[in-house]
Amino acid sequence: MNDVLKPPADRDLPPARAARMRAELMTVARGPRVHRRRLLVATMAVLALIAGVAVVKLDTDRTQILAMSSAELDPSLRRAVRDCLEQMKPRDDGGPPLEFVPVSPADVTIASRRGPWIAVLFLTQDGYMACDMYMKFGKLQSSSVGGEAWPHRDYLPGPVQRLSLTSTEADGGSVSVLGRVSARVDRLILEHGNGRTTTARISNGAFGLISLTEDVRKNAQLVSYDATGTEIDRRPLFTYSQNYPHCYTDPTGTVIYGTPGPACLPADPWTP
């Protein structure tokens, strides 16, 4: 039996209600294949209540996990973090040395898993590192790492800054998006480009999302809303991460993101 369907022992739910929730989930799980999306949404709703971390396991290849801190990592993500750190170690292979921002397991801010695809984002005082990998039968098949020292750690180019994007297709399919948000953002939505949406999790100035379905299109957009529900930012998902929709200035009026121009906006302060 999959433990993800069993509420934690310390959850303060009446036993009858917990049993009913579990029975409903098991009934959906035994249903025909066409109910896959129903199971995904129902499971995520229950897990958001009972565990905090979004974990969905439909079958071996469709596991979804979105962890918003090192404390939420499951065993597969802990192994992935170790593999990421191994990939960042200096190597004597005759090529130019790669200079990475030093990170540790304690710096994991967000980690996501979509079946065999895993992405990890490390945030530190000095910069960030992002790592993505593809696993097969529990073994690392391919991976890539990247990151940089913060050019402007305390400010964002608007309400949202995408730092990691992985997708199963060149411009779509199933996606995982990780990054930073300002305090102005109360809700962040991925519009798939076909009428469907996925809501990001936000915690301590960071956001993470895994698309609920595998139909994200090239015209997908990240849309930010403030606490009143007002849209405050909208930008394409599939674009170079430094193609900012505007130029942004610090409190002194200096342009710190984008190309200087007449329509610059104030950069958003970032508080982790």
Side-chain angles (χ1 to χ4, degrees):
M1 185 62 64
N2 187 354
D3 289 338
V4 78
L5 297 176
K6 182 178 180 181
D10 59 353
R11 178 64 187 172
D12 136 12
L13 282 175
R17 183 181 175 191
R20 186 167 61 254
M21 292 165 65
R22 182 176 181 279
E24 290 172 355
L25 282 175
M26 293 304 295
T27 299
V28 174
R30 287 192 291 267
R33 189 176 181 84
V34 295
H35 291 305
R36 179 187 300 159
R37 185 167 180 270
R38 179 184 173 193
L39 172 60
L40 176 62
V41 175
T43 308
M44 289 190 73
V46 172
L47 288 169
L49 281 171
I50 66 177
V53 56
V55 181
V56 178
K57 189 166 185 180
L58 299 179
D59 56 53
T60 303
D61 294 326
R62 296 183 179 278
T63 299
Q64 289 195 357
I65 305 172
L66 184 58
M68 296 300 290
S69 71
S70 57
E72 293 185 353
L73 300 178
D74 81 325
S76 70
L77 289 177
R78 286 195 291 270
R79 288 194 299 271
V81 169
R82 291 195 294 268
D83 287 339
C84 286
L85 295 174
E86 185 65 28
Q87 298 298 313
M88 296 176 195
K89 288 182 178 179
R91 281 175 169 72
D92 185 12
D93 56 6
L98 299 176
E99 296 184 3
F100 292 139
V101 175
V103 295
S104 73
D107 299 318
V108 174
T109 303
I110 319 168
S112 68
R113 177 182 168 196
R114 297 167 295 125
W117 293 275
I118 292 176
V120 182
L121 180 64
F122 303 80
L123 299 183
T124 75
Q125 290 287 333
D126 299 319
Y128 79 92
M129 289 298 298
C131 169
D132 63 82
M133 58 185 60
Y134 177 77
M135 309 291 291
K136 189 173 183 180
F137 303 119
K139 295 183 179 180
L140 180 64
Q141 300 298 302
S142 63
S143 67
S144 64
V145 294
E148 63 176 348
W150 296 121
H152 309 287
R153 175 186 180 274
D154 297 329
Y155 293 96
L156 302 177
V160 60
Q161 182 181 34
R162 195 199 78 208
L163 297 175
S164 171
L165 168 63
T166 62
S167 60
T168 55
E169 299 175 14
D171 289 313
S174 174
V175 304
S176 172
V177 192
L178 315 178
R180 303 194 293 168
V181 291
S182 75
R184 286 202 294 152
V185 179
D186 182 70
R187 189 165 57 104
L188 179 64
I189 300 294
L190 171 65
E191 293 185 352
H192 293 204
N194 58 3
R196 291 196 176 95
T197 62
T198 296
T199 302
R201 287 187 69 196
I202 297 175
S203 178
N204 299 319
F207 79 88
L209 69 83
I210 305 173
S211 59
L212 291 179
T213 50
E214 301 175 2
D215 58 357
V216 177
R217 296 181 179 175
K218 187 175 182 178
N219 61 334
Q221 294 187 315
L222 285 173
V223 187
S224 307
Y225 298 87
D226 64 16
T228 69
T230 301
E231 181 180 313
I232 56 175
D233 186 76
R234 174 181 292 268
R235 59 188 65 187
L237 175 66
F238 294 105
T239 184
Y240 180 52
S241 62
Q242 295 186 14
N243 282 350
Y244 306 119
H246 303 278
C247 48
Y248 298 91
T249 61
D250 66 14
T252 69
T254 302
V255 176
I256 58 175
Y257 290 107
T259 303
C264 292
L265 300 177
D268 278 43
W270 183 59
T271 304

